[in-house]
Amino acid sequence: MFLVFCRMTGARVKGAMKPAEDRKVGKRKAPLDRSSIRKAKKEKKAKKDPSKPKRPPSAFFVFLEEFRTTFKKENPNVKAVSAVGKAAGEMWKSMSEEEKGPFEVKAQKRKAEYEKQMKDYNEKQEISANGRDAEEVNDEGNEGSGEEEDDEDED
DNA sequence: ACTTTGATTGTTTTG
DNA sequence: CAAAACAATCAAAGT
């Protein structure tokens, strides 16, 4: 087991973070300060990038795509997405792991493509940053426009 | 906006 | 310093 090496050398396996399976770190008691998180996120100010690949759909979402079609056929009267979501959620939980299996597999494939697209996207970003000399560390890569925050929803 | 779950990321805490 | 754990945000579709 390579996991044994992790704790002694520090060879961290990205993405293979296993929950305290053989060793508990200790219960967290102090309530996290969410305010900072909220604030930090705002500071990030994600710039609108149409080329930026969106997140890959999870197994549930892959199932949803199919479910929506089916559900619409069976319930042409129901047009609310909320109704479909609830129905899908219930159906999803009703499905066995084996039935969800194929969906998870598809989700994994989508994720793999996403990573690939991100790689390409990152490269482009790097290239752009490259031509910008030494002034890129700041994610405020705001060239020209002086507007701030892209708060579209939240009414 | 509502609605579903999951997956990823971000922040905090502890060892 | 690193890993673990928790918290939050985001992914789509139709009215």
Side-chain angles (χ1 to χ4, degrees), chain A residues 53-110:
Chain A
K54 298 195 172 183
R55 292 211 212 145
S58 58
F60 176 65
F61 264 54
V62 176
F63 160 75
L64 245 183
E65 287 182 78
E66 185 183 275
F67 184 84
R68 276 196 283 250
T69 311
T70 311
F71 187 86
K72 238 191 327 194
K73 285 179 185 172
E74 309 263 329
N75 306 281
N77 299 331
V78 181
K79 300 175 189 165
V81 293
S82 14
V84 185
K86 285 176 185 168
E90 228 175 318
M91 175 67 86
W92 182 252
K93 296 200 165 159
S94 180
M95 288 168 67
S96 315
E97 295 299 316
E98 290 182 56
E99 295 181 287
K100 294 175 7 179
F103 291 105
E104 289 184 28
V105 174
K106 285 190 70 175
Q108 294 298 315
K109 289 185 179 175
R110 293 295 296 267

Side-chain angles (χ1 to χ4, degrees), chain A residues 35-48:
Chain A
S35 342
S36 350
I37 302 177
R38 270 283 203 205
K39 193 168 179 275
K41 284 224 144 242
K42 263 198 133 348
E43 279 187 277
K44 249 176 94 69
K45 160 211 334 186
K47 86 167 22 177
K48 312 175 234 168

Side-chain angles (χ1 to χ4, degrees), chain A residues 38 42 46 48 54 149-155:
Chain A
R38 270 283 203 205
K42 263 198 133 348
K48 312 175 234 168
K54 298 195 172 183
E149 250 41 45
D150 61 323
D151 219 327
E152 62 270 330
D153 43 70
E154 226 88 327
D155 75 283

Side-chain angles (χ1 to χ4, degrees), chain A residues 15-26:
Chain A
M17 282 199 309
K18 223 204 269 195
E21 194 175 339
D22 59 320
R23 196 256 186 88
K24 229 187 220 264
V25 187

Side-chain angles (χ1 to χ4, degrees), chain A residues 106-129:
Chain A
K106 285 190 70 175
Q108 294 298 315
K109 289 185 179 175
R110 293 295 296 267
K111 192 175 63 174
E113 285 184 70
Y114 165 76
E115 285 174 8
K116 197 172 75 162
Q117 290 170 53
M118 273 304 274
K119 186 175 183 281
D120 187 64
Y121 170 75
N122 284 331
E123 278 184 50
K124 286 181 178 180
Q125 296 296 310
E126 195 181 336
I127 293 167
S128 295

